[in-house]
Coordinates of all heavy atoms in Angstrom, one line a residue:
Chain A
L29 N -47.1 -12.2 32.0 CA -46.9 -11.0 32.8 C -47.5 -11.1 34.2 O -47.0 -10.5 35.2 CB -47.6 -9.8 32.1 CG -49.1 -9.7 32.0 CD1 -49.7 -9.0 33.2 CD2 -49.4 -8.9 30.7
L30 N -48.5 -12.0 34.4 CA -49.1 -12.2 35.7 C -48.2 -13.0 36.6 O -48.2 -12.9 37.8 CB -50.4 -12.8 35.7 CG -51.5 -11.9 35.2 CD1 -52.8 -12.7 34.9 CD2 -51.8 -10.8 36.2
S33 N -43.0 -10.1 37.9 CA -43.1 -8.6 37.9 C -42.3 -8.0 36.7 O -42.1 -6.9 36.6 CB -42.6 -8.0 39.2 OG -42.5 -9.0 40.2
P35 N -41.5 -6.4 33.2 CA -42.4 -5.7 32.3 C -43.0 -6.5 31.2 O -42.3 -7.4 30.7 CB -41.4 -4.6 31.7 CG -40.4 -4.5 32.7 CD -40.2 -5.8 33.4
Q36 N -44.2 -6.2 30.7 CA -45.0 -7.0 29.8 C -44.2 -7.3 28.5 O -44.0 -8.4 28.1 CB -46.3 -6.4 29.5 CG -47.1 -7.2 28.5 CD -48.1 -6.3 27.7 OE1 -48.0 -5.1 27.8 NE2 -49.0 -6.9 27.0
L37 N -43.7 -6.2 27.9 CA -43.1 -6.4 26.6 C -41.6 -6.5 26.7 O -40.9 -6.3 25.8 CB -43.4 -5.1 25.7 CG -44.9 -5.0 25.4 CD1 -45.2 -3.7 24.8 CD2 -45.3 -6.1 24.4
G38 N -41.1 -6.8 27.9 CA -39.7 -6.9 28.2 C -39.1 -8.1 27.6 O -39.3 -9.2 28.0
S50 N -30.1 -3.2 20.5 CA -31.0 -3.3 21.7 C -32.4 -3.3 21.1 O -32.7 -2.8 20.0 CB -30.8 -2.2 22.6 OG -31.1 -1.0 21.9
S51 N -33.4 -3.8 21.9 CA -34.8 -3.8 21.4 C -35.3 -2.4 21.2 O -36.0 -2.1 20.3 CB -35.7 -4.5 22.5 OG -35.2 -5.8 22.7
A52 N -34.8 -1.5 22.1 CA -35.3 -0.1 22.0 C -34.9 0.5 20.6 O -35.7 1.2 20.0 CB -34.7 0.8 23.1
W55 N -37.3 -0.7 17.9 CA -38.6 0.1 17.9 C -38.4 1.5 17.5 O -39.3 2.1 16.9 CB -39.2 0.0 19.3 CG -39.8 -1.4 19.6 CD1 -39.2 -2.4 20.4 CD2 -41.0 -2.0 19.0 NE1 -39.9 -3.5 20.3 CE2 -41.0 -3.3 19.5 CE3 -42.0 -1.5 18.2 CZ2 -42.1 -4.2 19.2 CZ3 -43.0 -2.4 17.9 CH2 -43.1 -3.7 18.4
K56 N -37.3 2.1 17.7 CA -37.0 3.4 17.3 C -36.9 3.4 15.7 O -37.5 4.3 15.1 CB -35.7 3.9 17.8 CG -35.3 5.3 17.4 CD -34.0 5.7 18.1 CE -33.7 7.2 17.7 NZ -32.4 7.6 18.4
T59 N -40.3 3.1 14.4 CA -41.0 4.4 14.5 C -40.7 5.3 13.3 O -41.6 5.8 12.7 CB -40.6 5.1 15.8 OG1 -41.0 4.3 16.9 CG2 -41.3 6.4 15.9
F60 N -39.5 5.5 13.1 CA -39.1 6.5 12.1 C -39.1 6.1 10.6 O -39.3 6.9 9.7 CB -37.7 7.1 12.4 CG -37.8 8.0 13.6 CD1 -37.2 7.6 14.8 CD2 -38.4 9.2 13.6 CE1 -37.2 8.4 15.9 CE2 -38.4 10.0 14.7 CZ -37.8 9.6 15.9
L64 N -44.2 6.4 11.4 CA -44.4 7.8 11.1 C -44.5 8.0 9.6 O -45.4 8.8 9.2 CB -43.3 8.7 11.7 CG -43.3 8.7 13.2 CD1 -42.3 9.6 13.8 CD2 -44.7 9.2 13.7
V67 N -48.1 7.3 8.7 CA -49.0 8.4 9.1 C -48.8 9.5 8.0 O -49.8 10.1 7.6 CB -48.6 9.0 10.5 CG1 -49.3 10.3 10.8 CG2 -48.9 8.0 11.6
S70 N -50.7 8.6 4.9 CA -52.2 8.7 5.1 C -52.6 10.2 5.2 O -53.7 10.5 4.7 CB -52.5 8.0 6.5 OG -52.1 6.7 6.5
M71 N -51.7 11.0 5.7 CA -52.1 12.4 5.7 C -52.1 13.0 4.3 O -53.0 13.7 3.9 CB -51.0 13.2 6.5 CG -51.1 13.1 8.0 SD -49.8 13.8 8.9 CE -50.1 15.5 8.8
N73 N -52.8 11.3 1.6 CA -53.9 10.7 1.0 C -55.2 11.5 1.3 O -56.0 11.8 0.5 CB -54.1 9.3 1.5 CG -55.4 8.6 1.0 OD1 -55.7 8.6 -0.2 ND2 -56.1 8.0 1.9
K77 N -57.5 13.7 -1.3 CA -58.9 13.4 -1.4 C -59.8 14.6 -1.1 O -60.9 14.7 -1.6 CB -59.3 12.2 -0.5 CG -58.8 10.9 -1.0 CD -59.8 9.7 -0.7 CE -59.5 8.6 -1.6 NZ -59.3 7.3 -0.9
Y90 N -87.0 12.2 5.5 CA -87.3 10.8 5.9 C -87.7 10.8 7.4 O -87.1 11.5 8.2 CB -86.0 10.0 5.8 CG -85.5 9.7 4.4 CD1 -84.4 10.2 3.9 CD2 -86.3 8.9 3.6 CE1 -83.9 9.9 2.6 CE2 -85.9 8.6 2.3 CZ -84.7 9.1 1.8 OH -84.3 8.8 0.5
H92 N -87.2 8.4 9.5 CA -86.3 7.7 10.3 C -85.0 8.4 10.6 O -84.1 7.9 11.3 CB -86.0 6.3 9.7 CG -85.3 6.4 8.4 ND1 -85.8 6.7 7.2 CD2 -83.9 6.1 8.2 CE1 -84.9 6.7 6.3 NE2 -83.8 6.4 6.8
R94 N -83.1 12.4 11.5 CA -83.3 13.7 12.2 C -84.4 13.6 13.3 O -85.4 14.3 13.3 CB -83.7 14.8 11.2 CG -82.6 15.5 10.6 CD -82.0 15.0 9.3 NE -82.8 14.7 8.2 CZ -82.3 14.2 7.1 NH1 -81.0 14.0 6.9 NH2 -83.2 13.9 6.1
I95 N -84.3 12.6 14.1 CA -85.3 12.2 15.1 C -85.3 13.3 16.2 O -84.2 13.6 16.7 CB -85.1 10.8 15.6 CG1 -85.4 9.8 14.5 CG2 -86.0 10.5 16.8 CD1 -85.1 8.4 14.8
R96 N -86.5 13.7 16.6 CA -86.5 14.7 17.7 C -87.6 14.2 18.7 O -88.7 14.8 18.8 CB -86.9 16.1 17.2 CG -85.8 16.7 16.3 CD -84.6 17.1 17.1 NE -83.7 17.9 16.3 CZ -82.7 17.3 15.6 NH1 -82.6 16.0 15.5 NH2 -81.9 18.1 14.9
K98 N -87.4 14.4 21.8 CA -87.3 15.3 23.0 C -86.3 16.3 22.7 O -85.3 15.9 22.1 CB -87.0 14.4 24.2 CG -86.4 15.0 25.4 CD -86.3 13.9 26.4 CE -86.0 14.5 27.8 NZ -84.7 15.2 27.7
P101 N -80.7 18.9 25.5 CA -80.6 19.8 26.7 C -79.6 20.9 26.5 O -79.0 21.3 27.5 CB -80.2 18.8 27.8 CG -79.5 17.7 27.1 CD -80.1 17.6 25.7
T108 N -77.8 19.2 17.0 CA -76.9 18.3 17.7 C -75.6 19.0 18.1 O -75.4 20.1 17.7 CB -76.5 17.1 16.7 OG1 -75.9 17.7 15.6 CG2 -77.8 16.4 16.3
F110 N -72.5 18.7 17.5 CA -71.5 19.0 16.5 C -72.1 19.5 15.2 O -71.6 19.3 14.1 CB -70.6 17.8 16.2 CG -69.8 17.4 17.4 CD1 -70.3 16.5 18.3 CD2 -68.5 17.9 17.6 CE1 -69.5 16.1 19.4 CE2 -67.7 17.5 18.7 CZ -68.3 16.6 19.6
N112 N -73.3 21.2 12.0 CA -72.6 22.0 10.9 C -73.7 22.3 9.9 O -74.2 21.5 9.2 CB -71.6 21.1 10.3 CG -70.8 21.7 9.2 OD1 -71.3 22.7 8.6 ND2 -69.7 21.2 8.8
N116 N -75.5 19.5 7.8 CA -76.5 18.8 8.7 C -77.8 19.6 8.6 O -78.0 20.7 9.1 CB -76.1 18.8 10.1 CG -74.8 18.1 10.4 OD1 -73.9 18.6 11.1 ND2 -74.6 16.9 9.8
Chain B
W62 N -80.0 16.8 34.2 CA -79.7 17.6 33.0 C -80.6 17.2 31.9 O -81.2 18.0 31.2 CB -78.2 17.4 32.7 CG -77.8 18.2 31.5 CD1 -78.1 19.5 31.2 CD2 -76.8 17.8 30.5 NE1 -77.5 19.9 30.0 CE2 -76.7 18.8 29.6 CE3 -76.1 16.6 30.3 CZ2 -75.9 18.7 28.5 CZ3 -75.3 16.5 29.2 CH2 -75.2 17.6 28.3
F63 N -80.6 15.9 31.6 CA -81.4 15.4 30.4 C -82.9 15.7 30.5 O -83.5 16.1 29.6 CB -81.2 13.9 30.2 CG -79.9 13.5 29.7 CD1 -79.4 12.3 30.0 CD2 -79.1 14.4 28.9 CE1 -78.1 11.9 29.5 CE2 -77.9 14.0 28.4 CZ -77.4 12.8 28.7
Y66 N -83.1 19.9 32.5 CA -82.2 21.0 32.0 C -81.5 21.7 33.2 O -81.1 22.9 33.1 CB -82.9 22.0 31.2 CG -83.7 21.3 30.1 CD1 -85.1 21.0 30.2 CD2 -83.1 20.8 28.9 CE1 -85.8 20.3 29.3 CE2 -83.8 20.2 28.0 CZ -85.2 19.9 28.1 OH -85.9 19.2 27.2
Q104 N -47.1 -5.6 43.6 CA -47.2 -5.2 42.2 C -47.9 -6.2 41.4 O -48.7 -5.9 40.4 CB -45.7 -5.0 41.6 CG -45.7 -4.2 40.3 CD -44.4 -4.2 39.6 OE1 -44.2 -4.9 38.6 NE2 -43.4 -3.5 40.2
K105 N -47.8 -7.5 41.7 CA -48.5 -8.5 41.0 C -50.0 -8.3 41.2 O -50.8 -8.4 40.2 CB -48.2 -9.9 41.6 CG -48.7 -11.1 40.8 CD -48.1 -12.4 41.3 CE -48.9 -13.5 40.8 NZ -48.7 -14.8 41.5
R108 N -51.1 -5.6 38.9 CA -51.2 -6.1 37.5 C -52.5 -6.8 37.3 O -53.2 -6.6 36.3 CB -50.0 -7.1 37.2 CG -48.7 -6.4 37.1 CD -47.5 -7.3 37.0 NE -46.3 -6.6 36.9 CZ -45.8 -6.1 35.8 NH1 -46.3 -6.3 34.7 NH2 -44.7 -5.4 35.9
Q139 N -88.2 0.0 8.4 CA -88.3 1.4 8.8 C -87.2 2.3 8.3 O -87.3 3.5 8.2 CB -88.5 1.6 10.3 CG -89.8 1.2 10.9 CD -89.8 -0.3 11.2 OE1 -88.9 -1.1 10.8 NE2 -90.8 -0.7 12.0
T147 N -81.4 4.1 4.4 CA -81.6 5.1 3.3 C -81.4 6.5 3.8 O -81.8 6.9 4.9 CB -83.1 5.0 2.9 OG1 -83.4 3.6 2.6 CG2 -83.4 5.7 1.6
M155 N -61.5 5.2 3.6 CA -60.2 5.4 3.1 C -59.7 6.8 3.3 O -58.6 7.1 2.8 CB -60.1 5.0 1.6 CG -60.4 3.5 1.4 SD -59.2 2.5 2.3 CE -60.1 1.0 2.6
E156 N -60.5 7.7 3.9 CA -60.0 9.1 4.1 C -59.5 9.2 5.6 O -58.6 8.5 6.0 CB -61.1 10.0 3.8 CG -61.3 10.2 2.3 CD -62.3 11.3 1.9 OE1 -62.5 12.2 2.7 OE2 -62.9 11.2 0.8
L160 N -56.4 7.5 8.2 CA -55.4 8.2 8.8 C -55.4 8.0 10.3 O -54.4 7.8 11.0 CB -55.6 9.7 8.5 CG -54.7 10.7 9.2 CD1 -53.2 10.4 9.0 CD2 -55.0 12.1 8.8
A163 N -53.8 4.8 11.1 CA -52.3 4.9 11.0 C -51.8 5.6 12.2 O -50.7 5.2 12.8 CB -51.9 5.6 9.7
V170 N -46.5 1.8 18.3 CA -45.0 1.6 18.1 C -44.2 2.5 18.9 O -43.3 2.1 19.6 CB -44.7 1.8 16.6 CG1 -43.2 1.7 16.3 CG2 -45.4 0.7 15.7
T173 N -44.1 1.4 22.6 CA -43.3 0.3 22.8 C -41.8 0.7 22.8 O -41.0 0.2 23.6 CB -43.5 -0.8 21.7 OG1 -44.9 -1.0 21.6 CG2 -42.8 -2.1 21.9
W174 N -41.5 1.6 21.9 CA -40.1 2.2 21.9 C -39.8 2.9 23.2 O -38.8 2.6 23.8 CB -40.0 3.2 20.7 CG -38.7 4.0 20.7 CD1 -37.5 3.6 21.3 CD2 -38.5 5.3 20.2 NE1 -36.6 4.6 21.1 CE2 -37.2 5.7 20.4 CE3 -39.4 6.2 19.5 CZ2 -36.7 6.9 20.0 CZ3 -38.9 7.4 19.1 CH2 -37.5 7.8 19.4
H176 N -41.1 2.2 26.1 CA -41.0 1.2 27.1 C -39.6 0.5 27.1 O -39.0 0.4 28.1 CB -42.1 0.1 27.0 CG -42.2 -0.8 28.1 ND1 -42.8 -2.0 28.1 CD2 -41.7 -0.7 29.4 CE1 -42.7 -2.6 29.2 NE2 -42.1 -1.9 30.0
H177 N -39.2 0.1 25.9 CA -37.9 -0.5 25.8 C -36.8 0.5 26.2 O -35.8 0.1 26.9 CB -37.7 -1.1 24.4 CG -38.4 -2.4 24.2 ND1 -37.8 -3.6 24.4 CD2 -39.7 -2.6 23.9 CE1 -38.7 -4.6 24.1 NE2 -39.8 -4.0 23.8
M180 N -36.7 0.5 29.9 CA -36.0 -0.7 30.5 C -34.5 -0.6 30.3 O -33.8 -1.3 31.0 CB -36.6 -1.9 29.8 CG -38.0 -2.2 30.3 SD -38.6 -3.8 29.8 CE -39.0 -3.5 28.0
E181 N -34.1 0.1 29.2 CA -32.6 0.1 29.0 C -32.1 1.4 29.6 O -30.9 1.8 29.3 CB -32.4 0.1 27.5 CG -32.6 -1.3 26.9 CD -32.7 -1.3 25.4 OE1 -32.1 -0.4 24.8 OE2 -33.3 -2.3 24.8
E186 N -34.4 9.1 25.3 CA -35.2 8.5 24.3 C -36.5 8.1 24.8 O -37.6 8.2 24.1 CB -34.5 7.3 23.7 CG -33.4 7.7 22.7 CD -33.1 6.7 21.6 OE1 -33.7 5.6 21.6 OE2 -32.3 7.0 20.8
M193 N -43.9 11.6 21.8 CA -44.5 11.3 20.5 C -45.8 10.6 20.6 O -46.7 10.8 19.8 CB -43.5 10.5 19.6 CG -42.3 11.4 19.2 SD -41.0 10.4 18.4 CE -41.7 10.0 16.9
Y200 N -53.4 14.1 18.3 CA -53.7 14.3 16.9 C -55.0 13.5 16.6 O -55.8 14.0 15.8 CB -52.5 13.9 16.1 CG -52.6 14.1 14.6 CD1 -53.3 15.3 14.1 CD2 -52.1 13.2 13.7 CE1 -53.4 15.5 12.7 CE2 -52.2 13.5 12.3 CZ -52.8 14.6 11.8 OH -53.0 14.8 10.5
Y209 N -66.3 14.7 13.4 CA -67.6 14.9 14.0 C -68.3 16.1 13.5 O -69.5 16.2 13.3 CB -67.5 14.9 15.6 CG -67.5 13.6 16.2 CD1 -67.1 12.4 15.6 CD2 -67.9 13.5 17.6 CE1 -67.2 11.2 16.2 CE2 -68.0 12.3 18.2 CZ -67.6 11.1 17.5 OH -67.6 9.9 18.2
S210 N -67.5 17.2 13.3 CA -68.1 18.4 12.8 C -68.4 18.4 11.3 O -69.1 19.3 10.8 CB -67.2 19.6 13.1 OG -66.8 19.6 14.4
T212 N -69.3 15.4 9.4 CA -70.2 14.3 8.9 C -71.6 14.8 8.6 O -72.1 15.7 9.3 CB -70.4 13.2 9.9 OG1 -70.8 13.7 11.2 CG2 -69.1 12.4 10.1
S213 N -72.1 14.2 7.5 CA -73.5 14.7 7.1 C -74.5 14.1 8.0 O -75.7 14.5 8.0 CB -73.7 14.3 5.6 OG -73.6 12.9 5.5
S217 N -78.8 12.0 15.9 CA -80.2 11.8 15.9 C -80.7 11.2 14.6 O -81.9 11.1 14.4 CB -80.9 13.2 16.0 OG -80.5 14.0 14.9
D218 N -79.8 10.7 13.8 CA -80.2 10.0 12.5 C -80.4 8.6 12.8 O -79.7 7.7 12.2 CB -79.1 10.3 11.4 CG -79.2 11.7 10.9 OD1 -80.4 12.2 10.9 OD2 -78.2 12.3 10.4
E264 N -46.3 0.8 32.6 CA -46.8 -0.3 32.0 C -48.4 -0.3 31.9 O -48.9 -0.7 30.9 CB -46.4 -1.6 32.7 CG -44.9 -1.8 32.5 CD -44.5 -3.1 33.3 OE1 -44.9 -4.2 32.9 OE2 -43.7 -2.9 34.3
W268 N -50.5 -0.6 28.6 CA -51.6 -1.6 28.3 C -52.8 -1.0 27.9 O -53.5 -1.4 27.0 CB -51.8 -2.5 29.6 CG -50.7 -3.3 30.0 CD1 -49.6 -3.6 29.4 CD2 -50.7 -4.0 31.3 NE1 -48.8 -4.4 30.1 CE2 -49.5 -4.7 31.3 CE3 -51.6 -4.1 32.3 CZ2 -49.1 -5.5 32.4 CZ3 -51.2 -4.9 33.4 CH2 -49.9 -5.6 33.4

Side-chain angles (χ1 to χ4, degrees):
Chain A
L29 69 88
L30 286 172
S33 342
Q36 179 204 14
L37 294 166
S50 62
S51 304
W55 288 103
K56 182 177 180 179
T59 297
F60 288 107
L64 294 182
V67 171
S70 304
M71 284 171 76
N73 175 50
K77 287 219 160 125
Y90 289 115
H92 66 284
R94 271 93 46 181
I95 294 171
R96 296 288 187 273
K98 155 174 196 300
T108 60
F110 294 88
N112 178 341
N116 301 135
Chain B
W62 182 41
F63 286 155
Y66 309 98
Q104 199 189 106
K105 188 169 165 199
R108 287 170 185 275
Q139 289 87 344
T147 311
M155 295 302 154
E156 287 188 22
L160 172 57
V170 174
T173 309
W174 171 28
H176 190 197
H177 282 266
M180 288 189 285
E181 290 168 21
E186 286 209 352
M193 285 171 72
Y200 185 39
Y209 273 24
S210 309
T212 51
S213 59
S217 62
D218 284 329
E264 291 178 67
W268 293 351

